[in-house]
Amino acid sequence: MDFFLQLLVNGICIGFLYGISAMGFVMIFKSSSVVNFAHGELLAAGAFLFLALVTWANLPVPAAFLLTLAGTFILGFVIERLFLRPLIGEPLIEVVMLTIGLASILKGAMLLIWGGNLHNYPDFLPEGLGLHFGAVSIPPVYTTSILISILFLLLFGLFFKFSSQGIYMRSVADNQTAALSLGVHVKKVFALSWAIAALVAGMSGIVLGIINGINVHELSAIGLKVFPVVILGGLDSIGGAIIGGLIIGLLETFTGGYISTSLRDVIPYIALVVILLIRPYGLFGLVEIERV
Amino acid sequence: MRDLKFHPCGNYRESYREELTVFETDFGRLWMALGLAVLFGVVPWTTSPYMLYVINTIGIMAIAAIGLNILIGSTGLISLGHGAFFGVGAYAAGVLASSWNVPIYLAVPAAGIITALTGMIFGIPSGRLKGLYLAIATLAGQFIIEYVLVHWEDVTQGTMGITLPDPSILGVSLRGDRPFFFVIFIVLAAMTWMAVNIMRTRFGRAFVAIRDNDRAAEGMGIPVFPYKLLSFGISSFYAGIAGAIWAFYMISITAEPFTMMMSVEFIAMVIIGGLGSISGSILGAVFITMLNETLRWVTDILMNAGGLAGLELTLAPLRELAFGLAIVLFILFEPKGLAEIWRVVRSSFRLWPFSY
């Protein structure tokens, strides 16, 4: 029973992280319908920027955190400006391939600078954050990361609900043509949504880095694991991303705990194919109606 | 003998038959005959073994790229699992040749058919999904096949890999680069011929109709789902043939190379070569393979230059970087690929000096 409970807790924690990692992806897809295959690399970019600021520049942790967020924000903006803007209106395969190429570039650059080894942040979390319920324990990294994530979720919820930029972004996501005709600067919204998505990705990268250590290959693999998560939740629903993340996280930990550890990494993709066959637009996604 | 045909200065086709011709002029026929003569008569006898190895790799990759181009370029279905299908072909040939002693000339087509069936299984989601969702479904297929190749140990021997016996045709042993050059390029020529002719028949026209508008195609009486499955089947057949030849050429295989990266390389070949163009796929295969080899060469030189040795400069990151850059630059500046550049160069010669 304890084993079950521990798995349940781990699954929820990991699932929550997947959900958070998927948030940036959903944000980009929702506003500009670009599928971002470079999402894992954006996660890694945030994690490594933070590492560089903390260890090389010896900045205090909060300052480094804020600077990382600013850096990833600019990175997202630049990526949209240089690579994605010329492709507005081009066929899907080109956009997909462009983000794959982008992923290669970012990954190659990071491998050149930091190499493929595992890096770790210096320990800066207080021990008191760890929680224990009988035999079940939650290590401090999980509680911290979940706290950070919930904070960001709240912030973004408020941003989308009340700020004018947030409302513009929602309007573009809802109906691009209508938004255009009402005077929303759609290109600006695309740029902003890439910037914000990169920021969110950077934040999730740091959180993942605190938990597992930072490694380019692992983080880019998580970037691909975002796909089962978002398909489960529906590609255009941020709340769905969190729920999809939880389901995938639980599925993974239970498969790993009870069946076999090697199946663990494939089970999300098997679930993905099954879901696509039963409900092609995910559990919470919008069903597209096509007309000739 | 009928009159020789030269390049007209406009489109003067009058019948559907003329539209379907493979060679626009007799010069095309002549150049192709010359090209084939040089390819088989000169190239294998004059190049160094290393160059021959590179050329053979290009040939194998070109076979798979042509297959993927039928799927992506002509039918408009995106597959991110072509590298895994290539692996299925390699393993099918490996198992057939090592466990049942099937000779190469039977093992390669059999591997093609097995891969085609596998591809059709993973093509089933295309009945309901398209575009992005299909791309993600095939991505899942890639990971599932990779897992099966490593963990189905009774058949694939897991991480141990399979060692293939020496292939021979009619008692002639095929070992080394030169005999394989002939195997690879005869197959490539046959497969190219097949692809050109598939695109000229009703199948090819149905594929193009589905790509341009699948609902309109359905309305015109094309059964969309069977044709989509057929397209998956044909494209994986090509991948399987290429993988099988690759397995015989490499002698021993493991599941290591058949990753997502390989699938991405195949898509890069198709995009850089030119979507929907068969000659483009071959050009794309040449480009990507040469890019890989050049990068290897450059890093070797940098490593040997001494001063840089301390930097732990390794091949993988540089390759990754240059590869990504090539894809991005091509998509941004020449989305129609090398085939389009080739066409522009050719027509500027043809139309000179009155290029308007």
Side-chain angles (χ1 to χ4, degrees):
Chain A
M1 192 61 196
D2 282 344
F3 184 58
F4 174 80
L5 279 180
Q6 185 68 53
L7 282 183
L8 187 73
V9 169
N10 284 356
I12 290 176
C13 292
I14 291 172
F16 212 80
L17 289 174
Y18 283 160
I20 299 293
S21 320
M23 247 168 62
F25 179 92
V26 171
M27 226 174 261
I28 292 175
F29 184 79
K30 211 169 144 79
S31 71
S32 58
S33 15
V34 167
V35 230
N36 185 12
F37 277 81
H39 195 70
E41 281 69 20
L42 286 182
L43 296 175
F48 275 115
L49 195 58
F50 188 59
L51 178 78
L53 288 172
V54 169
T55 56
W56 291 356
N58 274 323
L59 287 176
V61 172
F65 187 67
L66 289 179
L67 268 179
T68 311
L69 293 188
T72 45
F73 187 84
I74 295 168
L75 177 72
F77 194 78
V78 170
I79 287 176
E80 199 275 340
R81 203 55 200 243
L82 283 183
F83 301 114
L84 272 308
R85 182 148 314 169
L87 284 190
I88 292 177
E90 297 289 326
L92 176 71
I93 173 85
E94 281 174 18
V95 179
V96 166
M97 258 334 264
L98 185 103
T99 58
I100 290 178
L102 197 63
S104 270
I105 294 178
L106 288 174
K107 197 173 171 185
M110 281 185 286
L111 280 173
L112 269 183
I113 303 174
W114 284 284
N117 297 331
L118 190 71
H119 296 265
N120 276 309
Y121 293 129
D123 237 1
F124 53 77
L125 295 171
E127 265 308 304
L129 278 168
L131 297 176
H132 296 274
F133 304 103
V136 178
S137 67
I138 308 174
V141 281
Y142 279 122
T143 42
T144 331
S145 42
I146 287 177
L147 281 179
I148 296 178
S149 313
I150 291 176
L151 182 70
F152 267 77
L153 214 57
L154 271 177
L155 278 179
F156 279 109
L158 292 175
F159 172 78
F160 281 119
K161 191 98 187 161
F162 296 113
S163 79
S164 57
Q165 287 301 329
I167 293 171
Y168 292 158
M169 282 174 71
R170 277 196 298 150
S171 74
V172 171
D174 199 37
N175 189 333
Q176 222 181 77
T177 328
L180 256 177
S181 70
L182 287 173
V184 176
H185 196 317
V186 172
K187 283 181 182 167
K188 213 156 111 191
V189 168
F190 285 173
L192 190 68
S193 61
W194 265 87
I196 291 181
L199 181 146
V200 175
M203 193 263 310
S204 349
I206 295 173
V207 169
L208 287 169
I210 295 173
I211 292 172
N212 299 328
I214 342 163
N215 171 299
V216 180
H217 299 293
E218 237 163 74
L219 283 170
S220 63
I222 289 185
L224 292 177
K225 209 162 269 175
V226 159
F227 287 109
V229 171
V230 294
I231 289 285
L232 249 172
L235 269 169
D236 41 14
S237 140
I238 291 182
I242 301 286
I243 295 172
L246 287 177
I247 297 176
I248 294 290
L250 287 170
L251 199 62
E252 257 195 35
T253 34
F254 280 112
T255 325
Y258 286 113
I259 304 174
S260 86
T261 32
S262 62
L263 196 62
R264 196 191 133 112
D265 287 332
V266 194
I267 194 80
Y269 296 102
I270 297 174
L272 167 69
V273 173
V274 173
I275 291 284
L276 279 177
L277 283 176
I278 302 168
R279 273 189 70 94
Y281 295 102
L283 296 178
F284 306 98
L286 201 66
V287 179
E288 288 171 39
I289 298 166
E290 290 181 281
R291 295 184 179 86
V292 179
Chain B
M1 193 186 151
R2 69 202 162 81
D3 292 338
L4 284 177
K5 273 202 291 185
F6 295 96
H7 266 296
C9 53
N11 189 348
Y12 293 113
R13 288 163 182 154
E14 286 173 343
S15 65
Y16 198 67
R17 251 184 82 94
E18 284 174 48
E19 185 73 35
L20 281 178
T21 47
V22 177
F23 298 105
E24 280 178 44
T25 64
D26 288 311
F27 275 107
R29 241 177 268 271
L30 184 71
W31 282 120
M32 200 193 74
L34 264 179
L36 283 179
V38 170
L39 183 68
F40 288 109
V42 179
V43 171
W45 313 104
T46 52
T47 45
S48 65
Y50 171 68
M51 267 319 282
L52 206 55
Y53 162 77
V54 174
I55 293 172
N56 284 348
T57 315
I58 289 176
I60 294 173
M61 293 299 153
I63 297 174
I66 290 174
L68 188 61
N69 212 340
I70 291 179
L71 188 69
I72 296 184
S74 307
T75 324
L77 304 169
I78 302 173
S79 167
L80 291 172
H82 211 61
F85 294 141
F86 188 88
V88 171
Y91 265 96
V95 171
L96 285 175
S98 62
S99 308
W100 283 299
N101 283 320
V102 179
I104 180 169
Y105 49 86
L106 290 181
V108 170
I113 289 167
I114 292 170
T115 316
L117 293 176
T118 320
M120 281 159 99
I121 292 171
F122 283 97
I124 290 175
S126 71
R128 294 185 69 183
L129 308 170
K130 54 192 208 181
L132 166 66
Y133 289 88
L134 183 62
I136 297 174
T138 53
L139 178 76
Q142 162 81 37
F143 286 109
I144 294 170
I145 292 177
E146 250 180 73
Y147 175 82
V148 171
L149 286 186
V150 176
H151 290 94
W152 193 12
E153 292 188 358
D154 297 342
V155 175
T156 65
Q157 301 179 15
T159 45
M160 294 271 294
I162 296 177
T163 306
L164 285 88
D166 260 5
S168 63
I169 294 177
L170 303 173
V172 183
S173 166
L174 300 170
R175 184 49 67 222
D177 294 321
R178 198 173 292 156
F180 258 97
F181 174 88
F182 287 100
V183 174
I184 290 166
F185 280 86
I186 288 171
V187 173
L188 174 61
M191 298 300 262
T192 312
W193 178 81
M194 203 169 103
V196 168
N197 282 303
I198 287 175
M199 295 321 294
R200 293 168 73 214
T201 51
R202 56 182 296 167
F203 300 105
R205 290 200 299 280
F207 291 161
V208 173
I210 291 170
R211 174 192 70 191
D212 290 345
N213 191 331
D214 56 344
R215 276 150 283 132
E218 180 99 60
M220 280 158 53
I222 295 167
V224 170
F225 181 51
Y227 272 106
K228 279 184 176 174
L229 269 192
L230 183 69
S231 181
F232 263 101
I234 293 175
S235 108
S236 346
F237 179 75
Y238 275 77
I241 296 275
I245 297 178
W246 189 83
F248 277 108
Y249 187 41
M250 291 290 148
I251 304 167
S252 78
I253 49 171
T254 60
E256 208 142 278
F258 313 122
T259 53
M260 168 91 188
M261 188 65 200
M262 190 179 221
S263 299
V264 170
E265 270 184 22
F266 282 130
I267 304 181
M269 286 173 200
V270 168
I271 292 213
I272 288 176
L275 282 171
S277 152
I278 289 163
S279 54
S281 330
I282 299 174
L283 288 177
V286 173
F287 184 89
I288 294 288
T289 316
M290 292 308 278
L291 181 73
N292 280 341
E293 292 303 321
T294 318
L295 285 172
R296 178 168 304 157
W297 185 69
V298 168
T299 36
D300 275 357
I301 287 184
L302 287 179
M303 297 282 270
N304 293 333
L308 287 162
L311 278 177
E312 288 179 50
L313 197 64
T314 44
L315 179 66
L318 259 189
R319 202 184 130 207
E320 193 100 48
L321 193 71
F323 177 73
L325 215 55
I327 300 177
V328 167
L329 292 180
F330 258 99
I331 291 177
L332 289 181
F333 296 110
E334 186 49 272
K336 285 181 179 163
L338 290 168
E340 177 73 6
I341 295 178
W342 174 235
R343 198 189 63 78
V344 169
V345 169
R346 248 180 46 178
S347 57
S348 69
F349 272 107
R350 181 161 59 91
L351 299 174
W352 187 86
F354 305 113
S355 56
Y356 296 99

